[in-house]
Amino acid sequence: MRILLSNDDGYQAPGLKALHDVMATIADTVVVAPDRDRSGASNSLTLEIPIRAATAENGFIRVDGTPTDCVHLAITGLLEQEPDMVVSGINAGANMGDDVLYSGTVAAATEGRFLGYPAIAVSMSSHTPQHFDTGARVAAMLVKRLCEQPIASDSILNVNVPDIPFDQLQGYAATRLGHRHKAEPVVKSEDPRGRPIYWVGPAGAEQDAGPGTDFYAVRNGFVSITPLQVDLTRHQALPDLAAWLEAGV
């Protein structure tokens, strides 16, 4: 089995190294990752300027682009041999609820799924993780399980792991995405020349975070595994939308 690894924290991120060290024991791995932190890049592709790739001192391929660029390049021409699976992570910080819309970690997995491969995104619940090894072991177990019994071909597994020792995990939970309150306001400041600058504020606190959600599972020591679909169509709303259009357009 050949696994393509990527992330959004950059090719030097400790989470990526931890993931690679474990995955290399069960599969032929290749790493194609951004040359710097590209957190929050979502599914953006670089279209107006060329993208460069080079092999770094640690053997990983670094790309001056987004996580989506990395996976797209890897699968559509950069690598001589295409992978069997894409695993993205391990992210420093959870990607739960609304986070998945912005996450470069999830986006790298999504691009793998777009291009026809099973894909997993793995994140730790802490922004300063102490237990990347837990996340790496969880990822390896899920990869083995996917090989034994594949899931629906249109699904991406979004995995969030509590930042605790592996033997303290309470188990694995199939979850849905929760929901956050509105994001905190932007932080306004000034540059050295007195011109206004803005920092995006932190994400909102948990709102819809009860039993069954990813927030609830991780908070209670479980690995949260949420199946995501690429198709964003709200199918149940189609009949109402058609009737709405017929009534007044």
Side-chain angles (χ1 to χ4, degrees):
M1 180 173 57
R2 184 172 174 84
I3 298 179
L4 170 62
L5 304 180
S6 193
N7 73 347
D8 71 353
D9 287 336
Y11 76 100
Q12 294 179 312
L16 181 62
K17 182 181 185 305
L19 181 65
H20 173 265
D21 288 349
V22 171
M23 287 298 173
T25 67
I26 64 171
D28 181 13
T29 60
V30 59
V31 177
V32 183
D35 62 356
R36 59 192 185 280
D37 189 342
R38 296 304 298 262
S39 297
S42 188
N43 297 88
S44 58
L45 277 171
T46 301
L47 301 177
E48 297 296 328
I49 58 174
I51 304 169
R52 292 177 171 82
T55 300
E57 64 281 355
N58 61 1
F60 297 171
I61 298 174
R62 53 180 172 83
V63 174
D64 63 346
T66 67
T68 300
D69 288 332
C70 293
V71 175
H72 191 88
L73 261 64
I75 293 175
T76 62
L78 180 65
L79 302 180
E80 294 184 2
Q81 182 179 351
E82 293 185 5
D84 300 302
M85 185 182 301
V86 175
V87 181
S88 177
I90 301 169
N91 194 63
N95 281 301
M96 300 186 288
D98 312 63
D99 302 339
V100 302
L101 297 174
Y102 307 101
S103 168
T105 304
V106 175
T110 301
E111 188 65 15
R113 181 63 268 164
F114 274 149
L115 296 173
Y117 299 94
I120 304 174
V122 185
S123 305
M124 300 299 297
S125 62
S126 170
H127 287 284
T128 54
Q130 303 301 308
H131 300 283
F132 276 124
D133 57 314
T134 299
R137 289 180 65 178
V138 167
M141 292 175 65
L142 291 173
V143 166
K144 291 178 181 178
R145 182 70 179 126
L146 277 175
C147 292
E148 296 167 356
Q149 186 172 348
I151 60 171
S153 61
D154 62 347
S155 293
I156 301 154
L157 294 184
N158 184 43
V159 182
N160 284 277
V161 183
D163 188 32
I164 56 178
F166 184 83
D167 59 7
Q168 293 181 20
L169 292 174
Q170 298 302 302
Y172 299 80
T175 59
R176 65 175 177 86
L177 295 178
H179 185 65
R180 294 186 183 276
H181 288 282
K182 185 174 70 172
E184 297 295 322
V186 297
V187 178
K188 184 177 180 179
S189 184
E190 289 185 347
D191 70 10
R193 293 179 174 82
R195 296 172 298 195
I197 57 174
Y198 301 89
W199 295 94
V200 173
E206 299 173 11
Q207 183 179 35
D208 175 11
T213 66
D214 43 10
F215 291 116
Y216 185 89
V218 170
R219 190 166 60 248
N220 285 277
F222 289 83
V223 176
S224 165
I225 305 172
T226 305
L228 305 179
Q229 63 181 10
V230 173
D231 182 3
L232 298 179
T233 306
R234 189 179 180 189
H235 292 276
Q236 66 268 33
L238 286 173
D240 290 340
L241 177 60
W244 179 77
L245 291 170
E246 291 173 3
V249 177

